[in-house]
Amino acid sequence: MSEPLIRRLGPQDAEAIVLGFAEVYGYSYANEIFNDPIRLSSALASGTVCSVGAMDGENQLIAHMAMTHRVDAIHVELGNTIVTPHARGTGLAWKVGDALTSWAAELGYSGYLHYPTTNHKIMQRQSVLAGHETGLMLSYIPNETNDKGREILQPLRGATTIVYEALTKQSNTLKLFLPERYDELIRDLAAPTNLSRRWERQLSNLPPESDVQIELFKKRSLARLTVKKVGQNLGAHVSALICQAVACHQVDFFMSDSGIGQGVELSKANGAVFCGWLPGLQTADILRMQWIDLQSANLELALANPVAQRIFTMVQKELER
């Protein structure tokens, strides 16, 4: 058997990528674009998605990882990793990952975020060799997402950690606002990353209108409210979010907004709990909160690292209140 070819993939490879995901997950994969060759081809052409793959001698995809860009975001997101069942145990995932992180650095990104599943302790341990855990997304993985190669059945929705990893030293300092409720936690999460942050805390006179956007991810059964600016009417937007008939609800606050503290407290009053600090996910860092359906979420987690364990303990206490 010849050595797999690891290369950057383009629009012409969209069909092969979709077939690779189908071999691993059927068509149950929660990121819908990897089930749709037309949408994926367009994303690869525009550069919104950048994929690296390992191809066998017949030009069939046997391993994959993707980089997702957000407009004007400081960092990128890496993930959507697969290795087809017959190619596992060969180290291909790490080789593909190395090629993709090199590409991200070449594009000028100083760091990336990724989301290891809590189903695999090896992935969790590997993620903190050079990275830093900054959050825990509960009820994030649909129970319909089944890995055929490992015959994993998910009676409850699974979880992922949130991990930040630097590629190069980030020199610019960001002025960001910390909500009092999570001040100590976020400072502790940020300290080992060596990211330059000037933390502020103040109450803002809120404008009448919030600057928000709601996104629905049907396959993941996720609704996410992104709050660029907290306004006096945020409560109506939060109510609209949690009324969505999905299994997972999240709210993302721009930490460049001085009204973030009021937004966090309003979300808490409506049942939200901490999810994560996501440095550079947008034009600023993001504070993500989440709503947990205790009937559908798997809370029997095998967390490998102390930071995720600390966050989970805190979230469990929040859920008890």
Side-chain angles (χ1 to χ4, degrees):
M1 179 178 175
S2 61
E3 186 74 15
L5 173 64
I6 296 174
R7 63 176 176 86
R8 297 175 184 182
L9 306 178
Q12 71 280 4
D13 299 302
E15 185 72 37
I17 296 171
V18 169
L19 290 174
F21 273 82
E23 184 176 349
V24 177
Y25 291 109
Y27 289 91
S28 69
Y29 193 65
N31 190 337
E32 296 174 343
I33 197 170
F34 292 100
N35 302 320
D36 185 335
I38 295 175
R39 284 181 60 197
L40 181 57
S41 177
S42 177
L44 290 165
S46 69
T48 305
V49 173
C50 296
S51 287
V52 168
M55 316 300 288
D56 67 13
E58 299 179 354
N59 204 35
Q60 302 297 306
L61 183 87
I62 57 175
H64 172 273
M65 186 180 292
M67 169 172 47
T68 303
H69 303 255
R70 294 171 183 261
V71 177
D72 297 328
I74 300 169
H75 299 140
V76 285
E77 296 173 283
L78 268 56
N80 308 116
T81 304
I82 60 166
V83 179
T84 55
H86 65 278
R88 289 174 180 166
T90 60
L92 275 179
W94 314 125
K95 294 176 184 177
V96 168
D98 287 344
L100 190 63
T101 55
S102 295
W103 193 359
E106 181 182 313
L107 291 172
Y109 289 99
S110 59
Y112 64 91
L113 291 150
H114 62 121
Y115 313 105
T117 173
T118 60
N119 283 337
H120 306 302
K121 282 193 170 184
I122 292 176
M123 291 179 64
Q124 292 180 66
R125 293 190 184 105
Q126 185 75 20
S127 74
V128 297
L129 294 180
H132 307 278
E133 289 177 327
T134 65
L136 181 63
M137 291 194 285
L138 300 174
S139 196
Y140 185 68
I141 301 175
N143 53 1
E144 294 86 2
T145 304
N146 294 322
D147 185 332
K148 298 191 299 181
R150 294 189 176 93
E151 298 183 352
I152 295 174
L153 299 178
Q154 300 281 3
L156 297 171
R157 291 176 62 87
T160 72
T161 58
I162 299 170
V163 175
Y164 166 75
E165 184 164 335
L167 292 170
T168 60
K169 183 176 175 57
Q170 187 175 344
S171 57
N172 61 312
T173 298
L174 296 183
K175 175 186 174 182
L176 300 169
F177 294 91
L178 275 177
E180 182 176 0
R181 180 176 294 272
Y182 298 123
D183 185 308
E184 180 182 356
L185 173 65
I186 293 175
R187 288 178 189 271
D188 288 349
L189 295 176
T193 69
N194 292 319
L195 289 168
S196 183
R197 299 292 186 263
R198 193 172 85 225
W199 301 114
E200 306 279 349
R201 194 203 301 163
Q202 69 181 57
L203 293 177
S204 171
N205 293 322
L206 301 181
E209 300 293 325
S210 302
D211 184 355
V212 304
Q213 177 186 10
I214 287 186
E215 296 176 280
L216 294 175
F217 304 89
K218 292 183 179 179
K219 193 80 172 179
R220 193 175 290 284
S221 192
L222 165 67
R224 180 180 296 145
L225 176 68
T226 299
V227 183
K228 193 169 185 178
K229 186 74 177 175
V230 174
Q232 296 171 19
N233 67 341
L234 182 64
H237 295 292
V238 169
S239 295
L241 171 72
I242 58 183
C243 284
Q244 297 291 329
V246 294
C248 185
H249 302 81
Q250 298 176 340
V251 57
D252 281 6
F253 291 102
F254 273 62
M255 298 184 74
S256 53
D257 175 25
S258 60
I260 187 174
Q262 290 105 307
V264 165
E265 292 307 313
L266 187 146
S267 300
K268 281 293 298 178
N270 282 275
V273 297
F274 182 81
C275 181
W277 168 60
L278 294 95
L281 180 68
Q282 302 270 11
T283 55
D285 295 358
I286 293 296
L287 171 60
R288 178 170 291 170
M289 299 183 71
Q290 57 190 336
W291 281 260
I292 307 301
D293 177 2
L294 298 178
Q295 301 303 311
S296 64
N298 178 17
L299 299 180
E300 299 294 326
L301 303 182
L303 298 173
N305 304 314
V307 173
Q309 292 165 1
R310 174 189 174 183
I311 293 171
F312 188 43
T313 298
M314 186 196 75
V315 169
Q316 286 177 307
K317 291 179 179 176
E318 288 187 300
L319 289 169
E320 291 170 0
R321 293 170 187 161

